[in-house]
Amino acid sequence: MLLSVKPLLEESPATKFGWGDYSQGSFVDQLDHQKCVLIRCDEKPLTVEEFGLLVVGFNLTPYPYVGGAAPRSIIPVSAGEDIVFTANESPPSEPIPFHHELAQTPNPPEYVFFYCDTPAQEGGETPIIDSTLVYRYAMENFPEFMQKLLQHGARYIRTLPAEDDPTSPIGRSYKNTWHVKSPEELDEKLSKTGGCSWKWNDDGSVRVTSEPVPAVRFVQEQHEQNHVYQHTFANSVVAAFLGWEDSRNDRREALRFGNMDKMPDSVLESIANFMQQHRILHKWQKGDVMAINNQLVMHSRNPFNGVRKVFASIWGPPIVNPGIYRPEKSPAALRKPLMPQDPLVFGFWKVPKEVCADSCYNAIKAGYRRLDCACDYGNEKEVGEGLARAFKDGLCKRKDLFITSKLWNTYHKKEHVPLAMARTLQDLQLNYLDEYLIHFPITMEFVPFEDKYPPEWHNLQGKMVVLNHDIGETWKAMESLQKDGKCKEIGVCNFSTQLLRQLLSGCEIRPSTLQIELHPENTQQRLVRFAKEQGMRVTAFSIFGATSYVELGGATMSESLMNNATVAAIAKYKNKTPAQILVRWACQRGTLPLCKSSKAERMVENRNIFDFYLTKSEVEKIDTLDRSRRYNDPGDFCEAAFGTYCPIYE
């Protein structure tokens, strides 16, 4: 049996899978990247029995249907009990507004499946919309409303009958909603939910005001190897505002902010209209299966005429997460690289001393929590001044930041490594680093601190002197720094695959990070994959390509990715800047992009990349720009500048 799996939110061709080949890993990867797919059998319509087998075969966590508003009926299938049920059984004449399934509950399901047994004679389509698109519209047009949602969350208010009411789109009884048999059982269950309140009515119904529920979510890493990093309008406020209306409920009284302030009708109406204008309709055929990433996509239902039988199944996360990191295929010492909540890094390379302290302070103020420093940048003292001011003014605490610095080439001998760390900590006014990296796999002649600091690429006689040295000795000294509490993690920069293999073969503490030059013209796919498989994060510097090297004479403006036609076209379509497209591209690769600017407004702009995403085809278009073009290559600039030939990548 051959299955066609086609994305519904982007123009991409269908992928073909044999019935037994559409595995959990393939499914999860597709839903992380493409958010919503249509599954059809090429030979014949799938049956409901086959639908049950399909969803069970993905090995997802069972999810009990608790807290929903709509009446449901169980559809028995041999694959399992209570896994397939009718979709919302509200009257055919009633549209079902956009919502994330069970977003009014603290822990919504991760996946929602729909199966079409009988398509409606007319209407009954299932509209879908990218939740991040809705978030962006709301944030750009109603920032005060969104700030209140972020700060307080949403409360949902609904009166539930004692028995299911099939005449109402929200007629599910409190007994079926919370799986209880009596008012006393419900009292006991709700009493364990902090922040919620309820009142019993004379007719046996109950009016429940939910606890404050997050209404805007930041979806970060998913399933180990897929890095989403998107804000979503993750709630059911529009569905409640438009659809929670029956003899017991007034839709205009169904919502409050978490602080009990009423939500403005005009804002909710505008967001609902935007959804209606930008929705994508799916017209059902018998046997169709729609799979939705419920964290990223909202769905609804159009009114219909005639008989329509669409069934649903909801599930939690994968039981066994697929991913690049596979313990059964890797040494026991490996671990999955720990990705941060915020992937963006602010770097201080080429930031002038006279503005560096302010740049550090403003970067923290703009939201950056990962800071990248180095002895060689010559401005760590100024970074330290900015840090001290940020701490004093209460912008953040030391524990909120992840601060990286780097060991310079002249300090590779074991006796010099702790001295270099001590100087860095002194300049940064810190007691420890979060991460200390070997800057280059190049060992140079030692230059005394008191004679010249930072020593740069040449000695006191102006010569670059490269020494034969075992980098393993340097690494053991780095390990000692971590053991002594001077840094929490240690890693490397500008290492090749072979150098990483050599280091890994003899180290006691494995490197946490590989920092390398990465941009669309130098994607280094194999090196990135290898580092991740060895449990390392990958930090990407020079993500804008030639831009940082023009003033150094290493590139021309004609090479700048900011002017590239492919990047510019995608930026225009997304209504974003080329820089934002490049930062987003780096994030979606699962790397940590380094950004830098002395301008506060540019710092904010570079961070504004979590309200859109690049489709698979857009990422592939950017990937085609790869030409293995390096701009930061000691094999080129060392000979030109210092008369020393020093290749490290060949």
Side-chain angles (χ1 to χ4, degrees):
M1 190 184 300
L2 197 63
L3 299 177
S4 293
V5 185
K6 180 173 174 53
L8 290 178
L9 287 173
E10 59 182 79
E11 291 296 330
S12 295
T15 305
K16 303 290 185 178
F17 293 95
W19 176 265
D21 298 329
Y22 194 27
S23 64
Q24 183 200 67
S26 300
F27 168 77
V28 169
D29 280 348
Q30 278 198 311
L31 269 288
D32 283 353
H33 292 119
Q34 297 175 319
K35 304 186 179 186
C36 180
V37 298
L38 172 68
I39 305 170
R40 278 181 177 158
C41 177
D42 287 358
E43 301 157 22
K44 65 178 182 62
L46 292 174
T47 66
V48 68
E49 281 288 336
E50 290 166 337
F51 171 60
L53 292 170
L54 179 70
V55 296
V56 168
F58 293 137
N59 199 25
L60 308 173
T61 305
Y63 186 96
Y65 183 65
V66 177
R72 308 275 184 170
S73 300
I74 299 297
I75 304 298
V77 293
S78 60
E81 294 184 4
D82 299 346
I83 62 171
V84 178
F85 45 83
T86 56
N88 191 322
E89 293 181 317
S90 60
S93 60
E94 300 292 334
I96 299 173
F98 274 111
H99 61 288
H100 287 275
E101 191 68 32
L102 294 173
Q104 70 273 23
T105 64
N107 297 297
E110 192 157 315
Y111 300 106
V112 177
F113 297 87
F114 292 111
Y115 165 79
C116 181
D117 183 71
T118 305
Q121 182 179 354
E122 181 182 11
E125 302 91 349
T126 294
I128 55 174
I129 192 167
D130 178 3
S131 187
T132 299
L133 187 67
V134 182
Y135 166 87
R136 182 174 175 183
Y137 171 79
M139 185 62 81
E140 290 177 351
N141 291 276
F142 308 107
E144 293 182 4
F145 171 83
M146 292 296 287
Q147 288 303 323
K148 289 192 73 171
L149 271 186
L150 282 164
Q151 182 178 356
H152 301 294
R155 290 182 186 264
Y156 299 87
I157 304 170
R158 181 160 53 99
T159 298
L160 297 86
E163 305 296 336
D164 285 353
D165 177 4
T167 67
S168 167
I170 54 169
R172 195 176 190 214
S173 68
Y174 71 78
K175 294 178 182 178
N176 284 332
T177 298
W178 279 284
H179 295 183
V180 298
K181 296 180 179 179
S182 67
E184 291 75 20
E185 284 187 43
L186 183 60
D187 287 342
E188 181 180 358
K189 184 165 282 191
L190 293 182
S191 66
K192 298 176 182 178
T193 304
C196 119
S197 62
W198 64 100
K199 179 183 177 182
W200 291 99
N201 299 317
D202 293 340
D203 62 358
S205 63
V206 60
R207 181 178 175 84
V208 178
T209 300
S210 77
E211 71 274 26
V213 178
V216 177
R217 298 177 190 266
F218 185 52
V219 182
Q220 302 163 14
E221 177 187 13
Q222 287 200 319
H223 316 122
E224 298 187 355
Q225 83 278 24
N226 298 327
H227 308 286
V228 178
Y229 294 121
Q230 288 175 228
H231 289 295
T232 60
F233 195 67
N235 56 66
S236 292
V237 297
V238 170
F241 175 69
L242 295 180
W244 286 16
E245 181 81 35
D246 64 8
S247 60
R248 291 169 296 273
N249 293 276
D250 179 354
R251 64 182 181 86
R252 297 184 184 276
E253 296 298 326
L255 293 166
R256 294 289 187 275
F257 289 109
N259 65 353
M260 291 305 294
D261 287 350
K262 193 174 186 302
M263 294 188 189
D265 291 357
S266 60
V267 172
L268 296 171
E269 287 171 354
S270 180
I271 295 173
N273 289 336
F274 175 83
M275 293 177 171
Q276 188 75 6
Q277 294 165 9
H278 292 83
R279 63 185 181 164
I280 293 175
L281 291 176
H282 174 63
K283 185 173 180 60
W284 290 103
Q285 295 181 21
K286 182 176 178 61
D288 280 358
V289 174
M290 180 188 292
I292 295 174
N293 186 327
N294 192 48
Q295 297 186 78
L296 302 174
V297 175
M298 306 173 86
H299 65 276
S300 62
R301 189 207 72 185
N302 281 353
F304 62 91
N305 293 321
V307 176
R308 177 186 188 268
K309 292 183 180 180
V310 174
F311 305 143
S313 189
I314 57 178
W315 296 83
I319 293 175
V320 179
N321 289 343
I324 289 174
Y325 172 64
R326 301 180 189 276
E328 73 276 11
K329 297 183 180 179
S330 307
L334 297 192
R335 54 145 172 82
K336 181 178 75 70
L338 299 174
M339 294 298 290
Q341 293 183 348
D342 185 333
L344 302 186
V345 187
F346 188 86
F348 293 95
W349 179 50
K350 296 202 314 174
V351 176
K353 286 186 177 182
E354 59 270 20
V355 299
C356 189
D358 287 340
S359 293
C360 177
Y361 183 90
N362 290 332
I364 294 171
K365 189 174 181 179
Y368 290 92
R369 292 297 179 264
R370 299 179 69 86
L371 306 177
D372 184 80
C373 316
C375 151
D376 186 56
Y377 299 165
N379 54 18
E380 287 195 321
K381 185 175 181 181
E382 290 72 23
V383 172
E385 293 170 359
L387 290 171
R389 188 171 11 135
F391 297 150
K392 181 180 178 182
D393 291 353
L395 293 186
C396 65
K397 297 179 180 179
R398 172 64 185 92
K399 65 180 182 179
D400 300 327
L401 300 180
F402 190 99
I403 300 175
T404 297
S405 189
K406 305 180 190 74
L407 176 75
W408 187 239
N409 306 342
T410 55
Y411 306 132
H412 279 193
K413 291 191 175 181
K414 61 184 179 181
E415 63 268 25
H416 298 145
V417 172
L419 300 178
M421 168 65 88
R423 178 59 184 267
T424 281
L425 291 177
Q426 175 185 317
D427 285 351
L428 292 174
Q429 302 182 45
L430 299 175
N431 296 320
Y432 70 92
L433 291 174
D434 295 278
E435 189 174 65
Y436 200 40
L437 310 179
I438 296 177
H439 205 149
F440 280 96
I442 301 170
T443 300
M444 290 166 32
E445 181 182 73
F446 174 68
V447 176
F449 291 85
E450 62 274 16
D451 292 340
K452 184 185 180 186
Y453 188 86
E456 302 177 293
W457 286 88
H458 49 80
N459 62 16
L460 296 177
Q461 288 73 46
K463 295 182 179 180
M464 177 183 173
V465 180
V466 179
L467 305 179
N468 292 324
H469 178 72
D470 179 8
I471 202 73
E473 176 188 306
T474 305
W475 188 255
K476 290 190 181 301
M478 297 278 283
E479 292 176 332
S480 295
L481 292 178
Q482 182 170 337
K483 293 175 183 178
D484 293 342
K486 299 299 183 183
C487 56
K488 293 184 176 181
E489 296 180 342
I490 51 178
V492 296
C493 305
N494 303 300
F495 271 45
S496 65
T497 301
Q498 187 54 41
L499 280 172
L500 287 176
R501 288 186 186 278
Q502 179 183 346
L503 182 63
L504 291 166
S505 67
C507 67
E508 179 183 352
I509 300 175
R510 300 177 70 86
S512 61
T513 289
L514 171 67
Q515 185 176 128
I516 50 177
E517 179 183 342
L518 288 177
H519 46 78
E521 293 180 319
N522 189 39
T523 61
Q524 302 201 71
Q525 303 275 15
R526 292 180 177 178
L527 179 56
V528 170
R529 176 181 172 181
F530 178 78
K532 288 183 179 181
E533 289 184 352
Q534 297 302 315
M536 284 174 263
R537 293 182 294 264
V538 178
T539 303
F541 71 78
S542 297
I543 57 171
F544 301 146
T547 305
S548 295
Y549 299 90
V550 173
E551 63 185 270
L552 301 177
T556 65
M557 279 306 296
S558 63
E559 296 178 280
S560 174
L561 286 167
M562 300 294 191
N563 302 321
N564 180 272
T566 298
V567 175
I570 295 172
K572 183 178 180 181
Y573 179 74
K574 299 288 188 182
N575 195 24
K576 290 289 183 177
T577 66
Q580 289 168 329
I581 298 300
L582 295 168
V583 176
R584 182 74 217 177
W585 173 84
C587 282
Q588 288 187 208
R589 297 187 76 204
T591 63
L592 310 182
L594 264 165
C595 311
K596 74 174 187 65
S597 178
S598 299
K599 298 178 180 179
E601 62 273 15
R602 189 63 57 81
M603 296 176 187
V604 173
E605 176 188 300
N606 287 341
R607 287 191 57 79
N608 192 19
I609 56 100
F610 302 125
D611 61 355
F612 77 104
Y613 78 107
L614 299 172
T615 66
K616 182 181 179 181
S617 61
E618 289 167 341
V619 170
E620 289 172 348
K621 287 178 182 177
I622 295 173
D623 287 345
T624 62
L625 302 177
D626 185 28
R627 56 192 182 106
S628 300
R629 173 66 161 100
R630 295 184 189 276
Y631 295 97
N632 192 336
D633 188 347
D636 292 331
F637 67 77
C638 286
E639 185 171 30
F642 315 115
T644 300
Y645 181 50
C646 189
I648 62 173
Y649 298 119
E650 285 72 21

